[in-house]
Amino acid sequence: MKEKTEKELKTKKTEKQKNDKKSKKEKKEKKSNKFVQIMKKKWLIDGTKTTILVLLILAVFFAISFTMQKLDLTPIDLSKDKLYTLTDESKEKVKNIDKDVNIYFVGFSEDDSNLDLAKQYTKANEKIKIENVSVENRPDLAEKYGFQNGDTGIILECGEKSKILSSSDLVTYDQTTYQTISIAEEKLTSSIQSVSSDDVPKIYFLTGYSEFSLSYTMQYLNMYLQNEVNEIENLDTLTTGKVPDDCDTLVINTPNKDFDEITTNAIIDYINSGRNILWMNAIVATEQNFPNMNKILAMYGVNPFEVGGIRETDSSKMVYESPDLIIPETTYHQITEDITNGLIFLNATKINLVDDTQLEELNVEKTEILNTSEGSYFRTNFYNSSNEKTDEDEAGPFLVGVELDKTISEANEETGEKEKVSKLIIYGDNYFASDVPLSSSTQAPLIQYRQNKDLILNSIAYLANREEDISARKDTGTVTYTATEQENQIILTAIFAVPAVIIVIGIIVWISRQRKGSNGNKEKKHKKEKTENK
């Protein structure tokens, strides 16, 4: 009996210890899950408080968004060519403007990329103000510039001067590469400069003597020049009888016939007034008898062009297996300072100068710009199709780009007259600045290859005394988005299906928790009723 009692006591003690451990474990679990239980009961299950929590999160989000907009931070630009970031060149061009420039974007959305780009000018110069407006809230601008509901455009004002850009002015379309090309930065920068500048350079292109013209073989150059701070005009000297007094730079493209007396005298008078010329002369295929043209060139010490063209043997100085597409070497000059990606000349000719003694007698100072390599040669026999240099070919290197400064008169302190100098920049090629394609297999114009565009635009800016416009311009070509059907499906799935799935899962979880809570309450109620009945 005694043994039985001891055994029962021992069993009860063991059961008590087990119950105590179980109780402690339950208390511990209950304590560790206390926060989770509170969240379930107090927040997630309680719809009112959940709504308050969601509204609080949204309020924080909108507060952060509003603060970011007020800070007006520069957007992060992940594009390869930094299409949506203002270049240092543009910042440099506008930073010293000391006049108030107001730019009004009419009818643009707040998230427009061109508007974001324009806002970056305000950080480069506080004198520049950007404002996004509509016809409704600025009827005065609409009436002044003829805007109507639904119209979009950009108005630039500086004092009495103004300029209007349409949305189409900010882009161009390349028919050969099927690319949409953004020129927004070039257009905005040049427009800001033009309305704030007292003097805008006037560039005249001599017409009537060449197959190269702005309207035919140099349309891209015409567009690029207008994107800079320039006014462009064609010049027919037979009509005017002179080079206009407002001409800052006269451009002469490969003459295919000699100048008449009127044009010759007009150009000579222009030179003697101390003004500047850009001359581009491509390959000469036949003998020329151009005494008037040679008379003008001789004023700078340039000998007549010879029949023949330059070819290359150095594979690193020509386009792949194309000896007539040469890559000239640049020398140090302000024009070529930022040209690091090379140039491409097609059917180039050499520039022949008199010796240094004769240049000195002509009061001409020479500064070389471009030369060919030692592996180049000058071929006069066009029937020879061999790519190898022959004994009859003249060995290089050759001069294909040079600046010649001719002093017309010295400065005179007694009379107060300034030194008068006429500058001639001459290149032994014209195709590099033209719409002529690189080859038959591609339609892209030569001016778009390497830094050909920079060479011609920098040369004109230099001669027009706008050194601030000399730069390496960013490539703004952007391929139009043409996703495949499969890619479109993936994108649409990512945009719409994924969020929809997340929402459905959330609803299912919420209903499941609601049911679980309801079933738990029923079980508790049932147990309570059962206990009371007992």
Side-chain angles (χ1 to χ4, degrees):
M1 187 73 177
K2 186 178 178 181
E3 290 177 0
K4 186 177 180 180
T5 303
E6 288 179 353
K7 190 176 181 179
E8 288 177 351
L9 289 170
K10 190 174 181 180
T11 301
K12 288 180 178 180
K13 187 178 180 181
T14 303
E15 289 178 355
K16 185 180 180 183
Q17 287 176 346
K18 287 181 178 179
N19 290 333
D20 289 343
K21 286 182 179 179
K22 187 177 180 180
S23 178
K24 287 180 180 178
K25 187 177 181 181
E26 287 176 351
K27 286 181 179 179
K28 189 175 181 180
E29 288 179 353
K30 187 175 181 181
K31 187 176 181 179
S32 63
N33 293 328
K34 188 176 181 181
F35 177 75
V36 177
Q37 295 297 326
I38 290 172
M39 287 299 294
K40 286 182 178 179
K41 293 179 180 179
K42 302 295 184 181
W43 288 97
L44 299 178
I45 296 176
D46 191 331
T48 303
K49 292 181 178 179
T50 302
T51 303
I52 294 172
L53 178 60
V54 171
L55 291 174
L56 181 61
I57 293 171
L58 290 173
V60 172
F61 170 77
F62 285 118
I64 293 172
S65 299
F66 180 77
T67 304
M68 295 295 285
Q69 287 181 350
K70 284 295 182 183
L71 290 175
D72 195 22
L73 299 174
T74 300
I76 298 173
D77 189 352
L78 299 178
S79 62
K80 179 183 175 182
D81 298 305
K82 301 300 178 186
L83 302 181
Y84 310 113
T85 304
L86 204 61
T87 61
D88 291 336
E89 287 77 19
S90 287
K91 293 176 184 176
E92 192 68 25
K93 289 176 181 179
V94 303
K95 75 174 186 179
N96 293 322
I97 293 175
D98 58 357
K99 301 175 182 177
D100 291 327
V101 179
N102 295 313
I103 305 177
Y104 302 100
F105 278 70
V106 183
F108 285 76
S109 62
E110 281 296 339
D111 59 352
D112 187 89
S113 60
N114 293 317
L115 179 59
D116 287 337
L117 179 69
K119 288 178 180 178
Q120 297 175 43
Y121 286 96
T122 64
K123 296 178 182 179
N125 189 329
E126 61 182 10
K127 289 282 188 180
I128 301 173
K129 307 294 183 185
I130 308 293
E131 188 177 349
N132 192 20
V133 302
S134 65
V135 173
E136 291 79 8
N137 61 28
R138 286 301 303 269
D140 56 322
L141 290 174
E143 183 179 355
K144 182 177 179 180
Y145 296 104
F147 280 82
Q148 298 179 355
N149 286 326
D151 290 346
T152 59
I154 303 171
I155 303 169
L156 298 98
E157 290 184 337
C158 182
E160 297 298 320
K161 297 178 71 175
S162 64
K163 188 169 185 176
I164 298 176
L165 299 176
S166 67
S167 299
S168 60
D169 289 329
L170 305 181
V171 296
T172 186
Y173 184 72
D174 192 337
Q175 299 286 350
T176 59
T177 60
Y178 305 106
Q179 289 182 327
T180 298
I181 302 174
S182 171
I183 52 174
E185 181 175 340
E186 291 93 328
K187 277 289 186 182
L188 287 169
T189 301
S190 64
S191 298
I192 291 170
Q193 286 182 286
S194 64
V195 297
S196 62
S197 299
D198 294 326
D199 298 311
V200 176
K202 199 73 174 286
I203 314 300
Y204 283 87
F205 280 72
L206 185 65
T207 62
Y209 301 94
S210 174
E211 294 179 354
F212 291 89
S213 68
L214 291 176
S215 59
Y216 179 55
T217 52
M218 304 178 83
Q219 294 181 62
Y220 276 91
L221 176 59
N222 190 16
M223 178 186 70
Y224 293 141
L225 280 171
Q226 291 182 40
N227 291 342
E228 307 270 313
V229 188
N230 298 297
E231 289 185 23
I232 314 300
E233 292 283 350
N234 286 317
L235 174 62
D236 180 1
T237 48
L238 291 179
T239 300
T240 62
K242 58 179 285 191
V243 178
D245 295 335
D246 63 352
C247 178
D248 293 290
T249 301
L250 176 64
V251 181
I252 299 175
N253 295 306
T254 312
N256 58 5
K257 63 180 181 179
D258 197 19
F259 300 144
D260 52 69
E261 291 297 326
I262 294 175
T263 298
T264 303
N265 292 333
I267 295 174
I268 290 175
D269 289 343
Y270 175 80
I271 294 170
N272 288 331
S273 67
R275 288 181 285 168
N276 305 327
I277 297 175
L278 172 63
W279 192 306
M280 291 177 283
N281 215 103
I283 191 171
V284 176
T286 58
E287 287 289 343
Q288 295 179 337
N289 182 24
F290 295 170
N292 286 333
M293 184 188 85
N294 293 332
K295 178 181 177 181
I296 291 170
L297 290 172
M299 295 178 68
Y300 296 95
V302 180
N303 287 324
F305 291 104
E306 300 177 33
V307 174
I310 299 174
R311 296 168 67 84
E312 265 290 354
T313 60
D314 186 342
S315 60
S316 67
K317 298 297 179 183
M318 64 178 172
V319 175
Y320 180 69
E321 295 184 348
S322 302
D324 55 338
L325 284 164
I326 67 172
I327 301 174
E329 300 174 348
T330 60
T331 60
Y332 179 77
H333 193 284
Q334 191 174 355
I335 290 171
T336 58
E337 187 176 4
D338 294 321
I339 294 179
T340 57
N341 194 34
L343 306 160
I344 297 178
F345 275 19
L346 169 65
N347 294 331
T349 189
K350 62 178 181 174
I351 300 169
N352 297 310
L353 301 178
V354 298
D355 59 39
D356 291 344
T357 302
Q358 290 175 293
L359 285 176
E360 188 175 349
E361 292 173 355
L362 291 169
N363 293 323
V364 172
E365 184 178 344
K366 174 184 70 175
T367 305
E368 295 185 2
I369 301 175
L370 302 172
N371 289 284
T372 63
S373 74
E374 292 183 356
S376 63
Y377 59 91
F378 187 77
R379 175 165 290 173
T380 58
N381 182 6
F382 292 109
Y383 294 103
N384 184 355
S385 59
S386 171
N387 288 337
E388 300 297 324
K389 179 184 178 300
T390 63
D391 292 339
E392 65 178 357
D393 297 327
E394 181 184 350
F398 304 107
L399 183 65
V400 289
V402 63
E403 175 187 352
L404 299 164
D405 295 351
K406 181 178 180 64
T407 301
I408 306 300
S409 60
E410 302 285 348
N412 190 322
E413 293 182 0
E414 294 181 1
T415 60
E417 291 184 7
K418 296 180 180 180
E419 182 183 41
K420 191 182 294 183
V421 177
S422 174
K423 295 181 178 181
L424 169 71
I425 289 180
I426 185 168
Y427 292 116
D429 183 39
N430 209 147
Y431 292 98
F432 82 93
S434 75
D435 304 338
V436 174
L438 179 71
S439 66
S440 58
S441 61
T442 176
Q443 294 300 311
L446 263 168
I447 193 172
Q448 289 186 343
Y449 280 91
R450 296 292 181 95
Q451 288 185 264
N452 284 5
K453 176 176 71 173
D454 291 327
L455 178 65
I456 181 66
L457 295 180
N458 286 353
S459 299
I460 291 175
Y462 178 80
L463 291 173
N465 296 315
R466 289 196 65 86
E467 284 79 4
E468 65 272 19
D469 290 338
I470 297 175
S471 62
R473 296 150 187 87
K474 71 179 179 183
D475 181 11
T476 53
T478 56
V479 180
T480 305
Y481 171 66
T482 53
T484 63
E485 185 177 349
Q486 182 181 5
E487 290 171 335
N488 270 327
Q489 289 176 351
I490 294 172
I491 292 169
L492 291 173
T493 300
I495 293 174
F496 298 107
V498 173
V501 169
I502 293 173
I503 291 170
V504 170
I505 291 173
I507 293 171
I508 293 171
V509 170
W510 180 78
I511 293 172
S512 176
R513 285 175 175 172
Q514 288 286 68
R515 287 179 177 177
K516 188 177 179 182
S518 177
N519 291 335
N521 291 333
K522 287 180 180 179
E523 287 178 7
K524 288 179 181 179
K525 186 177 180 181
H526 181 69
K527 286 180 180 179
K528 186 177 179 181
E529 289 175 350
K530 191 175 181 182
T531 303
E532 288 175 352
N533 290 334
K534 286 182 178 179

